[in-house]
Amino acid sequence: MQPVTLIDRTLFGLILNRLCYQLIENHDDFRDTVIIGLQPRGVFLSDRLVDELRRIRPECTIQYGILDPTFYRDDFRRQDKQLIALPTEIPFSLEDRRVILVDDVLYTGRTIRAGLEGLLEYGRPRSVELLVLIDRRFTRELPIEPMYVGRSVDSYDNQKVRVLWKKEGHKNDEVMLINE
């Protein structure tokens, strides 16, 4: 079976715009809110969200950081290959802040669980909300649900949802469903 386009370039932009307006509706001026992108692929999405939010609300100061959850994963020591951590950059405390945790695809929930654990190194947040571009609804292994969803996708275990980013050299930002 050929790859199927789930979200094309046009729809991608509309979804990002909708997610931004949902964040603005719930966080107004972002005074007590920070956005944290999960390495590696959640950073592409969070970069785009922060850029768009700053375009829509230039008067707001949006604090933004990135977190690598690699060493907080529950399968960290089970990997055959050596894992290499990517940078974590959170130049502010998360103590009593509202955190929007961003990732591209929510699959089993294990990366998000690791990200939640990693956040605690930077303080105890008042709350954490999860934003994902794609929610693969029926694949969860942990009780983790996003508050903001670009699109929900039902797929088989032998299928993979792949977010393609222009920033990585692809022609357009789009989402594909691929059979493995």
Side-chain angles (χ1 to χ4, degrees), residues 21-110:
Y21 278 100
Q22 288 176 316
L23 291 174
I24 291 167
E25 182 178 339
N26 290 336
H27 295 275
D28 191 31
D29 62 4
F30 294 87
R31 184 176 326 193
D32 299 332
T33 302
V34 300
I35 296 174
I36 304 291
L38 284 178
Q39 289 276 26
R41 307 198 51 83
V43 173
F44 297 125
L45 177 57
S46 55
D47 282 348
R48 290 282 307 275
L49 286 167
V50 169
D51 288 347
E52 185 67 10
L53 286 167
R54 288 177 175 156
R55 187 192 65 74
I56 295 168
R57 298 285 307 267
E59 72 281 4
C60 293
T61 300
I62 299 171
Q63 288 193 301
Y64 171 54
I66 58 176
L67 173 70
D68 186 337
T70 299
F71 297 120
Y72 301 100
R73 292 186 60 88
D74 58 4
D75 61 354
F76 169 64
R77 301 217 186 281
R78 293 179 165 191
Q79 301 287 331
D80 290 334
K81 62 181 180 180
Q82 182 179 3
L83 297 176
I84 298 172
L86 296 167
T88 291
E89 297 171 13
I90 303 177
F92 42 79
S93 171
L94 299 180
E95 193 68 34
D96 201 35
R97 306 293 294 280
R98 296 170 68 190
V99 174
I100 301 164
L101 192 61
V102 178
D103 204 3
D104 64 341
V105 178
L106 175 55
Y107 183 46
T108 63
R110 294 190 179 280

Side-chain angles (χ1 to χ4, degrees), residues 38 67-69 72 101 110-120:
L38 284 178
L67 173 70
D68 186 337
Y72 301 100
L101 192 61
R110 294 190 179 280
T111 300
I112 303 303
R113 189 218 51 85
L116 290 168
E117 188 172 328
L119 287 176
L120 296 177

